[in-house]
Structures are given as structure tokens and as C-alpha cells.
RNA sequence: GCCCCGGUAGGGUAGUGGACUAUCCUUUGGGCUUGCGGAGCCUAGGACCCGGGUUCAAAUCCCGGCCGGGGCACCA
């Protein structure tokens, strides 16, 4: 709804500028002083040799709001031109949400997107650093789907790396412990690393595994795939606990078996940037500001991670309109090289979201050293803490219901806490913070939703309402906020900034809580009660949808 | 050494050129409640790393420092 208002204001301002004989873009901004504001007059001041105030006044003289459906007023405040929404904008917003319900916020886009996220090496469980990738990726995929895109999420399985060869090596020598498969694999991997540190002679055995695997040795292939499957099943179940599911798992090795790696090497050989260095095929990216060459084929003829990554991205580019990758800060350089190479080869380049690292108070995490906090551990602890809270407040509920609520609250708390921080900020994990539910996070939003549900449950009034009655400031502010839900989806779809959804959900909840305090619903006279019930229902819908975009459940009681 | 990303109240965090009061949580102080479920609301206190510059206007852009994180393999 807000998008229509914005379009109207844009056209209105454009026409006014034209009528005033001024050439300028009709730029708009959000403002505390208006629903939309323009500060074009500043930019025109030096050109027109007049004060911004004068110019604003002149433009305003040519504004014709009567041609538009949603503009109530356009006023001049010093150099600013302020636009305000009218009553039918508010009424239409309420009606749109009531009618569309869960579809409110759909933008009707239809392009196909492949979004890759998580893609951690299958040599151990997800740790608390990895899930920043998963949570940002999953949130973005949900937002993009909401916007209408046809999204396929992919997990790129790195099964050809040294780490996996180490796992295979470890599985030959050590027994798997009786624990969740990904955790057991990590134990074996850590032991293998220790053994090789002690006796470097064992390294040759690992190298041998890698060479045989790339050559397609049947027995080794079985071992590699078995080890990867084992670990991956554990990772998948952890992701599932957080409401995250991938549509497709793409194995790195498939690009070798299928011959696409060979094809890409052939294409690179044709490039004018390629050369042979010491028997290896490389691309010289010097003129693009990269010091190091991009190696595509080793002197022994085998491929590298970077080669297979090219093949993978070529496939993705062919299969969709937008390719999106979520990578950790350690991939900054390599991914910008990848983009450059794809450009050179004439392949559509991916949009890359980089997130900075999550570290522990004592330093960064490492699977190899066994220095990490697993996501399963975090989920267990947070859910336990959530259960205590629920039990304290709602001893009247059955055990099953309390467990269910605790799970929703626990997962929500974790997901929200991670997604709310913008990706370029590095953070430090600490237990005290993670288990603190007093903070304004997901439970704050979920609770507001439960309140909406509670009010609606207590009333048996028929729909049918007069939205003109919703005139209190807290009511109007709440409606305006809800009108911006599609705008947020539009911005996030374009800029890929997942944290904006978290900010929006929090602000919406704050406004609902103010309404809740200022405007009684069930105790007022009939017509007003109906109107407010409808507003509560709309709020319920939008909060629920906003939570859904973050993969957080919205319990009806808690 | 070079490259990339950050630096906002005691702690955490939003805002990345525009309006005299820079957001939200936490912490500290005061108030509201047996409610339409207080996991809430109101209120007071407290911050843009430092130094230059660009601009009518800088937390936001540019240059130089300082601090923190990441990266610079025929590893993945």
C-alpha cells in the first residue's frame, strides 16, 4: 500500500517540478516529520540562485494533490516539502491486509533465483559461527519467496577437500563414538589431525586418498561419499531444528564426474588472460588489481576448489535469473576473484552477501582444533532456559504445550538475535547473552502476537467494521507501519539486508504495544470494538508474517 | 607489509549526506499493574575513535592516524 503512495507522491512531485519549469529528479525520503519528504530544493539552490526555502515554495505552488487517491496534503516546512497520507490510504491498508491475509506483502515478482547458503565442510557439526550464514541465507530466501521470486536454495557440498580425506583417513583408524553422526565425525577428524601432527609420514596416505578420489577410484569413492553422507545427515537435522531446509544439495565432485570441470578448463584455455605457469593453467588477473594468479589446473593435471567453483557457478548462472551466495568474511578475496573470472568468461555473476565472523571470547573457532560451540549445544541450552521461563509463567499448561512453546521461543531467540545484527559487523558469542530472555528480542514479538490472538479469542463479534473509527494516534501509527511491510520486502529483496526485517518486526511490535495500552478493545462500544478487533487481527497477520520471514514460529499462546 | 570490513552512551545495536530531541535493548533512577495475558507501557540520565578536508548541510563522503576482525597457497 505504501508503495502506491510512494508512486503517487513521486508522480505528483515530478509533475509539480515540470509545471514549475524545473529540471530535477523527484527524490523522496522517509522522515519523522511526514510520511514522505523531499529535499530537492537544496540541490537546486545553487543552480537557480535562490534560497532552498523559496524554491520549495515555488514547487509547492504547482502541486496538485487532487489528482491522487492517497495524498492528503503536501506542505512546505522551510526547505522541505512534506507529503501526508489520507484517510482512504489508511482504510485501504486495513482492507488489503484483511483480504489478503497471509498473502499480504506479496510483490508479484517472478524471476528464478538460486540462493546458496551454509555449505560448510562436512567434517563436523555446525558451530555457532556457521549458523550466521544459515540464518541470513534462510531469511533472505524467505523474503525473496514472499516477494514472489521462484527461489531454490542450495547447499554446496565440499566433498573433495583435504578435510574430507582426513575424515576418511580417521575412519580407517578410529571407531565412531556413539553420538550424533556429525559430532562423531568431528571427533574422528580431530583425532586424525592430531595423529598427523605427531607423525608427518602419515600425510602421504591422505594425499593418496585425495588423488584416488579425483581419479574416480570406486572403493575410495564409496568411502568418501559414505563419510560425507554421515556428517551431512547430522548437519541437516540441526538445520531442521532451526526451520531451515535446502531444496538441493550439489556435490562438488559431480562437476568432476560429469566432465563440466574439463569443459571449464577448455573455456579458460581460450581466454586471452590465461597462461601456463610451471605447468599449471592460470588466469592473470593483475590488470584487475589482483596480485595473485587464479589457478585453474595444477601442473599434475588435477582440478582445484576454484576450478570446481567456476563450473558450479556456470551451472547456476544458466539455471536462473539471479544467483545469490552467502559467504563468510574469509571468502571476500576468493569470491571477488571468482566474480572477475566469471566476468571474463562471459558468465552471469553472482550477488554475494558477505557476513563477518562470530568469535568466542577467547578467539576464533576452529573445527580442526576442536575449539567451537556447536549449534546443537546452543539449541539445547536455549530451549532449556526457555522452558524454565514458560514453566514459571504458565504452570497451567500441559507438558507437551510447554515444550512446544519453549522450542518456538528458543529457536526464535537464537534466530532473531543473529539476524538482527547487520552482516558486516563482527560479533563475539557469549553464553550469558545467548540465554538472556529479558532482552527485547523474538519473545517480545511472539508475545505481542499471542496477545493479539488472546483478544481475538475472547470476542465472538462478526467481522464487518468501519475503519473510519480508527483515529487515535496509536491506531494511525500502527496502520502506517503495517502499510510499509511490502516496502521492507522490496528493499530487502533488492539490497539483501536481512536485518531490516528484524528491525521492522521490532518497531511494529512496539507500536502495537502502545496501541494496546492506549486503546482498549473489548470494553468499548460495539462499532468501535469491531473496528479495533479488525485492527488487532491485521496486526496479528503482519506480525505472524514478519516472524515467518525470519523462520520464527508465532505461538497463539505462550 | 599490502588488501577488505568494522569502530555510535558502562555493555550491545540501528541510522551511511539533510529538519531544533541520533534508534532500540541492557545498566542506573522514578512512575504505571491483579490487565483486552506486565515477556508490557510511561519517564529521567548517558554516545557518533582521533586529526584534517569536501559541502548550503557530515555519525554518514574523501585523506591521514589509532584500535578490533578477516584475507593475501598448484589449501578448501
Amino acid at each position: 500500500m505504501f508503495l502506491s503512495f510512494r508512486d503517487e507522491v513521486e508522480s505528483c512531485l515530478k509533475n509539480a517540478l515540470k509545471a514549475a519549469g524545473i529540471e530535477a529528479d523527484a527524490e523522496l525520503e522517509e522522515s519523522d516529520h511526514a510520511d514522505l519528504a523531499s529535499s530537492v530544493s537544496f540541490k537546486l539552490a545553487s543552480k537557480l540562485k535562490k534560497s532552498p526555502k523559496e524554491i520549495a515554495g515555488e514547487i509547492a505552488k504547482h502541486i496538485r494533490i487532487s489528482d491522487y487517491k492517497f495524498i492528503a496534503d503536501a506542505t512546505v516546512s522551510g526547505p522541505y516539502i512534506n507529503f501526508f497520507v489520507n484517510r482512504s490510504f489508511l482504510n485501504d491498508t486495513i482492507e488489503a491486509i484483511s483480504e489478503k491475509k497471509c498473502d499480504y506483502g506479496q510483490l508479484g515478482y517472478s524471476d528464478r533465483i538460486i540462493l546458496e547458503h551454509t555449505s560448510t565442510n562436512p567434517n563436523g557439526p555446525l558451530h555457532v559461527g556457521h549458523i550466521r550464514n544459515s540464518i541470513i541465507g534462510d531469511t533472505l530466501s524467505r523474503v525473496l519467496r514472499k516477494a514472489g521470486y521462484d527461489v531454490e536454495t542450495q547447499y554446496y557440498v565440499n566433498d573433495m577437500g583435504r578435510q574430507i580425506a582426513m575424515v576418511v583417513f580417521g575412519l580407517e583408524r578410529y571407531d565412531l563414538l556413539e553420538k550424533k553422526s556429525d559430532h562423531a565425525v568431528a571427533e574422528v577428524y580431530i583425532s586424525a589431525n592430531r595423529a598427523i601432527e605427531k607423525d608427518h609420514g602419515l600425510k602421504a596416505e591422505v594425499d593418496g586418498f585425495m588423488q584416488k578420489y579425483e581419479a574416480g577410484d570406486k572403493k575410495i569413492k564409496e568411502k568418501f561419499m559414505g563419510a560425507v553422507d554421515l556428517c551431512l545427515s547430522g548437519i541437516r537435522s540441526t538445520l531442521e531444528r532451526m526451520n531451515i531446509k535446502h531444496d538441493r544439495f550439489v556435490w562438488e565432485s559431480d562437476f568432476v564426474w560429469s566432465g563440466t570441470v574439463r569443459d571449464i578448463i577448455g573455456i579458460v584455455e581460450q581466454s586471452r588472460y590465461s597462461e601456463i605457469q610451471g605447468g599449471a593453467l592460470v588466469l592473470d588477473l593483475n590488470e584487475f588489481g589482483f596480485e595473485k594468479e587464479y589457478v585453474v589446473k595444477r601442473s599434475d593435471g588435477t582440478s582445484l576448489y576454484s576450478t570446481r567453483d567456476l563450473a558450479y557457478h556456470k551451472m547456476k548462472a544458466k539455471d536462473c535469473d539471479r544467483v545469490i551466495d552467502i559467504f563468510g568474511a574469509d571468502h571476500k578475496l576468493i569470491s571477488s576473484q571468482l566474480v572477475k573470472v566469471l566476468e571474463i568468461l562471459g558468465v552471469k555473476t553472482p550477488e554475494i552477501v558477505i557476513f563477518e565472523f562470530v568469535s568466542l571470547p577467547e578467539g576464533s573457532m576452529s573445527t580442526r582444533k576442536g575449539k567451537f560451540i556447536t549449534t546443537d549445544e546452543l539449541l539445547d541450552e536455549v530451549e532449556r532456559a526457555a522452558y524454565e521461563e514458560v514453566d514459571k509463567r504458565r504452570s497451567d499448561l500441559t507438558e507437551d504445550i510447554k515444550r512446544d512453546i519453549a522450542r518456538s521461543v528458543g529457536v526464535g531467540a537464537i534466530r532473531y538475535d543473529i539476524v538482527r545484527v547487520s552482516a558486516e559487523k563482527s560479533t563475539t558469542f557469549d553464553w550469558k547473552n545467548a540465554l538472556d530472555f529479558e532482552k527485547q528480542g523474538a519473545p517480545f514479538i511472539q508475545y505481542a502476537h499471542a496477545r493479539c490472538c488472546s483478544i481475538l479469542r475472547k470476542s465472538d463479534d462478526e467481522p464487518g467494521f468501519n475503519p473510519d473509527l480508527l483515529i487515535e494516534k496509536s491506531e494511525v501509527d500502527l496502520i502506517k507501519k503495517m502499510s510499509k511491510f511490502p516496502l521492507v520486502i522490496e528493499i530487502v529483496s533488492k539490497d539483501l539486508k536481512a536485518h531490516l526485517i528484524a528491525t521492522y518486526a521490532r518497531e511494529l511490535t512496539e507500536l502495537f504495544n502502545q496501541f494496546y495500552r492506549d486503546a482498549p478493545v473489548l470494553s468499548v462500544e460495539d462499532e468501535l470494538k469491531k473496528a479495533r478487533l479488525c485492527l488487532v487481527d491485521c496486526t496479528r497477520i503482519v506480525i505472524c508474517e514478519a516472524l515467518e520471514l525470519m523462520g520464527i514460529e508465532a505461538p497463539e499462546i505462550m
Side-chain angles (χ1 to χ4, degrees), chain A residues 298-311:
Chain A
R298 290 196 186 89
S299 45
D300 67 4
T302 58
S303 64
L304 293 87
Y305 173 85
S306 47
T307 324
R308 294 163 227 135
D309 211 17
L310 281 177

Side-chain angles (χ1 to χ4, degrees), chain A residues 12 27 38 86 116 126 206 226 290 311 328 406 437 445 460 468 481 542 550:
Chain A
C12 175
E27 277 175 42
S38 172
N86 62 14
E116 179 202 336
L126 291 176
V206 178
F290 295 103
F437 289 100
I445 300 163
D460 42 12
D468 282 328
K481 193 52 153 181
V542 181
M550 294 184 281

Side-chain angles (χ1 to χ4, degrees), chain A residues 251-263:
Chain A
W251 289 50
E252 190 186 358
S253 55
D254 274 344
F255 295 99
V256 175
W257 319 139
S258 70
T260 47
V261 160
R262 212 176 35 236
D263 296 346

Side-chain angles (χ1 to χ4, degrees), chain A residues 24-41:
Chain A
D25 288 337
E27 277 175 42
L28 297 169
E29 57 210 51
E30 292 194 69
S31 163
D32 293 336
H33 307 267
D35 295 314
L36 274 174
S38 172
S39 55
V40 270
S41 59

Side-chain angles (χ1 to χ4, degrees), chain A residues 349-496:
Chain A
T349 56
E351 298 166 58
I352 296 178
V353 177
I354 298 282
F355 65 93
E356 295 293 325
F357 272 28
V358 180
S359 54
L360 297 175
E362 59 270 26
S364 53
M365 281 178 262
S366 157
T367 305
R368 183 169 51 82
K369 293 179 189 155
K371 214 177 84 183
F372 55 85
I373 292 167
T374 68
T375 303
D376 290 314
E377 199 181 344
L378 174 65
L379 282 161
D380 290 344
E381 288 299 318
V382 172
E383 279 173 24
R384 184 163 53 212
Y387 180 85
E388 273 176 34
E389 289 295 322
V390 176
D391 192 44
K392 202 158 59 188
R393 293 163 212 272
R394 299 299 302 266
S395 50
D396 57 311
L397 299 173
T398 67
E399 199 59 21
D400 282 352
I401 293 176
K402 283 191 287 190
R403 294 257 167 236
D404 259 7
I405 295 168
R407 212 168 26 79
S408 300
V409 170
V411 171
I414 291 171
R415 287 194 63 142
Y416 189 86
D417 200 51
I418 288 173
V419 81
R420 61 179 248 274
V421 180
S422 66
E424 55 268 19
K425 208 125 189 165
S426 44
T427 59
T428 306
F429 177 86
D430 99 271
W431 276 112
K432 213 179 112 215
N433 197 359
L435 299 175
D436 186 0
F437 289 100
E438 297 305 310
K439 290 186 134 194
Q440 193 171 359
F444 169 80
I445 300 163
Q446 289 169 314
Y447 187 71
H449 176 267
R451 264 180 168 170
C452 290
C453 293
S454 170
I455 293 174
L456 293 166
R457 222 179 295 128
K458 288 212 166 114
S459 149
D460 42 12
D461 274 283
E462 291 302 309
F465 63 98
N466 178 4
D468 282 328
L469 297 173
L470 301 171
I471 51 170
E472 296 287 329
K473 182 175 185 307
S474 65
E475 293 168 330
V476 171
D477 287 347
L478 181 57
I479 298 169
K480 283 183 185 174
K481 193 52 153 181
M482 292 196 282
S483 78
K484 288 187 181 176
F485 186 55
L487 174 71
V488 176
I489 292 167
E490 184 194 75
I491 293 171
V492 174
S493 297
K494 190 160 67 65
D495 298 341
L496 306 178

Side-chain angles (χ1 to χ4, degrees), chain A residues 82-94:
Chain A
N82 291 329
F83 294 87
F84 298 91
V85 298
N86 62 14
R87 190 66 231 175
S88 69
F89 172 84
L90 300 174
N91 292 356
D92 279 21
T93 298
I94 294 284

